[in-house]
């Protein structure tokens, strides 16, 4: 008689199937749009902060504030919060730090003594003018894998998603 042992089961070399891993539904991260947007946004923000901090001495939140003030000089903090989607606390802390560094001025709004008008100083505008070159180059490199019509389509789709945010947030995006 032969004393061959029973054949051994092969070792698992593939990932565990989703049905085997959990009893409930799982996200398909290759198709779940909020995850894509979040992952892309996080990676862009983190790399922008590192680059802008090293080269210009500002972080990405400060850049967002500076760019918004270049577009809309004299706006209140509430407008900045609304546009960039940040809470008042982090924006207020960044505004105070930026004011101390001479990048912006905060004055009582002439038409409403209860709000403040925030504007870039000449120094803040000079920082803007340097960073915008890098920001636009980063955008160009990011979108370089798309054809011109695909870039336009992407921008249109992102704009429509932005306009539809109220469907999940209960707030208007503008």
């Amino acid at each position: 008689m032969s004393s061959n042992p029973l054949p051994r089961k092969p070792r698992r070399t593939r990932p565990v199937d989703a049905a085997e891993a959990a009893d409930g539904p799982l996200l398909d991260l290759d198709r779940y749009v909020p995850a894509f947007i979040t992952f892309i946004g996080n990676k862009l923000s983190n790399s922008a902060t590192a680059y802008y901090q090293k080269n210009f001495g500002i972080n990405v939140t400060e850049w967002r504030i500076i760019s918004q003030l270049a577009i809309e000089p004299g706006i209140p903090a509430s407008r900045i919060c609304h546009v960039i989607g940040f809470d008042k606390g982090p924006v207020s802390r960044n505004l105070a730090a930026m004011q101390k560094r001479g990048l912006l001025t905060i004055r009582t709004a002439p038409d409403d003594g209860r709000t403040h008008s925030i504007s870039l100083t000449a120094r803040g505008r000079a920082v803007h003018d340097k960073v915008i070159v890098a920001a636009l180059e980063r955008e160009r490199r990011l979108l370089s894998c798309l054809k011109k019509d695909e870039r336009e389509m992407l921008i249109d789709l992102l704009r429509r998603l932005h306009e539809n945010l109220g469907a999940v947030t209960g707030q208007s995006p503008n």
Side-chain angles (χ1 to χ4, degrees):
M1 291 223 158
S2 167
S3 61
N4 287 341
L6 293 172
R8 292 177 26 196
K9 283 188 173 179
R11 296 178 78 187
R12 182 182 298 269
T13 57
R14 62 176 178 78
V16 175
D17 185 285
E20 297 173 40
D23 294 336
L26 298 173
L27 291 177
D28 178 353
L29 294 180
D30 290 329
R31 300 204 45 82
Y32 187 61
V33 173
F36 268 125
I37 292 170
T38 300
F39 299 163
I40 291 168
N42 288 344
K43 291 171 184 176
L44 282 172
S45 290
N46 291 339
S47 67
T49 286
Y51 184 81
Y52 298 159
Q53 194 74 55
K54 177 183 172 191
N55 293 286
F56 308 108
I58 63 169
N59 63 43
V60 74
T61 302
E62 292 170 331
W63 166 240
R64 290 173 182 158
I65 292 169
I66 288 170
S67 64
Q68 190 61 37
L69 290 172
I71 295 166
E72 295 184 73
I75 59 173
S78 60
R79 174 70 181 151
I80 295 168
C81 293
H82 183 76
V83 170
I84 66 176
F86 281 3
D87 291 331
K88 185 179 177 181
V91 169
S92 294
R93 285 189 294 277
N94 276 280
L95 289 172
M98 293 167 71
Q99 184 179 29
K100 282 182 185 175
R101 294 189 347 249
L103 298 173
L104 54 85
T105 59
I106 303 173
R107 296 189 175 100
T108 302
D111 57 334
D112 181 357
R114 297 170 295 163
T115 63
H116 292 92
S117 171
I118 306 166
S119 298
L120 293 175
T121 61
R123 182 176 180 189
R125 184 61 199 215
V127 169
H128 171 274
D129 293 351
K130 291 176 187 171
V131 178
I132 195 167
V133 174
L136 292 173
E137 174 59 16
R138 284 173 48 84
E139 179 195 39
R140 186 198 65 74
R141 289 184 2 227
L142 175 66
L143 299 178
S144 67
C145 64
L146 303 175
K147 297 175 188 158
K148 184 179 185 335
D149 61 326
E150 291 172 325
R151 289 191 302 269
E152 293 304 318
M153 182 182 295
L154 174 63
I155 292 166
D156 180 58
L157 294 170
L158 290 171
R159 186 178 295 115
R160 288 168 41 197
L161 287 173
H162 188 252
E163 290 168 358
N164 194 45
L165 277 173
V168 294
T169 65
Q171 299 174 348
S172 168
N174 298 331

